[in-house]
């Protein structure tokens, strides 16, 4: 029994004294560990790359949204500018012999179109004051119309309506022209970032 | 500058209006017309034009007051095209303001008296005491 034990002890001592890298299973696990590190590294790299691309896509989408919004603003401002130009032309066509019903239609149409066009911009700092002046000039013209409403049974006197509203509409037209100028300036400013 | 002869003529119209030799007709709240067929077909128009005076009391806030008015005086010969043979505007010719204000007061004064006479005629007659 004694020599067997001694042999086994010698064998164990020999095993313990030999370096672990001389063992095959060490290298198997070492290689597997290195492969897993490399795979994890690739995974991490792809994750970072995907995150970066997602961030870039988000920035691009935000920029596209802002650009689309700006483009929409420019188109809207141009539309309003065209409408204001048409209103101005309409106001210039006031005839000296205009009768009450035609003048009432003209004033109401101009008031309706003007208010519809300028209302969205009433708080715009650049336009606020001019829009307030226009809003005050519209009732002035409508009030002047009341002063020439034909009395029941009376025939109209050509020129009376013109005398009553000509100055009001001329003033309104000047204000519309000034507002149109401001809108055109605003249009250029809005278009600059995309120019 | 208002022609002195035209001024004298307007003064005569004022006098004739007050004495009711001339009858004006209101065609709208601010315009009176005197029309005749003899000795000529003619029309005389007197119009008061009111303006709203607008003042900015704060940025974006405007106060409007009806305070400025002027008169337009026109005489048409109805046998000729519709171009006035006489036209005076107190805004362009302030010297005519007094004469036209007198005329307007005379026209509206007569109208007010007629309205008052009509209202009085509606009251029941009181028995003589």
């Amino acid at each position: 029994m004694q020599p067997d034990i001694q042999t086994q002890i010698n064998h164990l001592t020999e095993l313990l004294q030999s370096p672990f890298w001389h063992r095959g299973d060490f290298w198997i696990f070492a290689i597997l560990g290195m492969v897993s590190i490399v795979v994890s590294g690739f995974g991490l790299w792809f994750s970072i790359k995907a995150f970066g691309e997602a961030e870039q896509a988000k920035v691009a989408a935000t920029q596209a949204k802002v650009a689309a919004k700006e483009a929409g603003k420019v188109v809207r401002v141009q539309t309003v500018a065209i409408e204001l130009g048409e209103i101005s032309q309409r106001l210039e066509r006031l005839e000296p012999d205009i009768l009450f019903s035609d003048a009432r239609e003209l004033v109401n149409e101009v008031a309706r179109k003007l208010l519809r066009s300028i209302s969205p911009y009433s708080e715009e700092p650049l336009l606020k004051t001019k829009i307030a002046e226009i809003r005050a000039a519209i009732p002035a013209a409508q009030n002047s119309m009341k002063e020439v409403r034909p009395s029941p049974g009376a025939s109209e006197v050509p020129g009376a309506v013109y005398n009553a509203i000509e100055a009001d509409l001329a003033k309104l037209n000047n204000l519309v022209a000034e507002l149109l100028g401001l809108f055109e300036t605003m249009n250029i400013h809005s278009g600059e970032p995309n120019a | 500058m208002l022609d002195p002869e035209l001024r004298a003529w307007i003064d005569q119209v004022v006098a004739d209006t007050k004495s009711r030799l001339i009858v004006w007709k209101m065609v709208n709240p601010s315009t009176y017309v005197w029309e005749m067929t003899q000795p000529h077909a003619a029309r005389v128009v007197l119009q008061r034009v009111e303006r709203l005076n607008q003042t900015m009391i704060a940025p974006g806030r405007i106060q409007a007051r009806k305070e400025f008015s002027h008169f337009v005086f026109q005489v048409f010969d109805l046998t000729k095209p519709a171009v006035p043979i006489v036209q005076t505007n107190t805004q362009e010719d302030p010297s005519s303001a007094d004469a036209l204000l007198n005329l307007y007061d005379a026209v509206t004064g007569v109208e007010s008296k007629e309205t008052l006479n009509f209202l009085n005629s509606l009251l029941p007659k009181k028995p003589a005491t």
Side-chain angles (χ1 to χ4, degrees):
Chain A
M1 287 297 288
Q2 285 297 326
D4 285 345
I5 292 169
Q6 189 59 48
T7 305
Q8 284 178 2
I9 289 169
N10 290 342
H11 181 66
L12 275 173
T13 306
E14 193 179 313
L15 278 176
L16 288 172
Q17 282 178 348
S18 68
F20 61 87
W21 54 85
H22 286 179
R23 293 180 56 177
D25 57 347
F26 164 76
W27 287 108
I28 290 167
F29 287 111
I31 288 166
L32 284 174
M34 281 189 286
V35 167
S36 69
I37 286 169
V38 170
V39 168
S40 298
F42 272 112
L44 183 64
W45 183 72
F46 277 115
S47 296
I48 290 168
K49 196 179 171 188
F51 178 75
E53 284 176 358
E55 279 294 305
Q56 282 178 352
K58 188 180 169 186
V59 169
T62 307
Q63 284 175 346
K65 190 179 170 185
V66 169
K69 204 172 173 183
E70 279 298 314
K73 266 187 194 173
V74 171
V75 170
R76 174 69 190 142
V77 165
Q78 283 173 345
T79 306
V80 172
I82 290 167
E83 284 172 358
L84 290 177
E86 288 171 357
I87 289 168
S88 181
Q89 285 177 356
R90 185 88 174 84
L91 285 170
E92 281 165 9
R93 285 202 296 266
L94 181 68
E95 296 290 339
D97 58 350
I98 191 168
L99 297 179
F100 180 81
S101 59
D102 294 332
R104 184 178 54 191
E105 190 182 320
L106 169 71
V107 170
N108 288 344
E109 181 191 335
V110 165
R112 187 180 63 248
K113 285 185 174 178
L114 256 181
L115 291 175
R116 191 187 63 196
S117 297
I118 65 179
S119 290
Y121 302 94
S122 57
E123 294 303 319
E124 196 77 39
L126 181 67
L127 310 172
K128 195 175 179 178
T129 304
K130 202 53 65 187
I131 286 177
E133 287 181 52
I134 287 177
R135 281 190 158 164
I138 289 171
Q142 289 170 330
N143 187 67
S144 294
M145 285 297 300
K146 286 181 193 164
E147 293 293 316
V148 286
R149 183 188 298 277
S151 302
S155 56
E156 284 195 56
V157 175
V161 173
Y162 180 86
N163 291 335
I165 64 171
E166 187 268 336
D168 290 319
L169 294 194
K171 183 182 177 184
L172 189 58
N173 200 10
N174 289 341
L175 291 171
V176 168
E178 287 177 11
L179 184 66
L180 184 57
L182 292 175
F183 261 104
E184 283 166 354
T185 310
M186 196 176 153
N187 192 354
I188 291 165
H189 288 165
S190 297
E192 269 178 0
N194 298 324
Chain B
M1 184 76 185
L2 186 64
D3 187 325
E5 290 183 4
L6 179 57
R7 186 183 182 95
W9 186 83
I10 291 173
D11 289 342
Q12 185 60 50
V13 171
V14 171
D16 288 351
T17 298
K18 286 179 178 173
S19 60
R20 304 189 187 191
L21 288 172
I22 294 173
V23 177
W24 292 81
K25 186 180 176 186
M26 188 174 81
V27 292
N28 63 48
S30 63
T31 309
Y32 291 87
V33 170
W34 164 35
E35 282 183 326
M36 71 213 76
T37 52
Q38 295 292 331
H40 301 287
R43 178 192 291 145
V44 181
V45 179
L46 178 63
Q47 182 175 6
R48 185 196 71 237
V49 180
E50 289 196 341
R51 285 282 124 74
L52 286 178
N53 188 20
Q54 297 175 333
T55 46
M56 191 173 290
I57 53 174
R61 289 191 63 201
I62 292 167
Q63 190 178 50
R65 276 193 306 183
K66 193 192 281 188
E67 60 175 22
F68 177 67
S69 69
H70 67 271
F71 295 100
V72 177
F73 180 76
Q74 296 168 308
V75 180
F76 294 90
D77 181 347
L78 296 180
T79 60
K80 292 178 180 174
V83 178
I85 55 171
V86 173
Q87 177 159 322
T88 306
N89 184 334
T90 57
Q91 194 175 30
E92 293 164 6
D93 179 12
S95 68
S96 61
D98 286 348
L100 295 183
L101 180 61
N102 282 341
L103 179 56
Y104 195 84
D105 284 345
V107 173
T108 53
V110 168
E111 189 193 29
S112 298
K113 272 185 189 170
E114 284 178 357
T115 305
L116 195 59
N117 287 342
F118 175 76
L119 292 174
N120 285 334
S121 73
L122 300 178
L123 297 173
K125 299 281 182 286
K126 293 187 175 73
T129 52

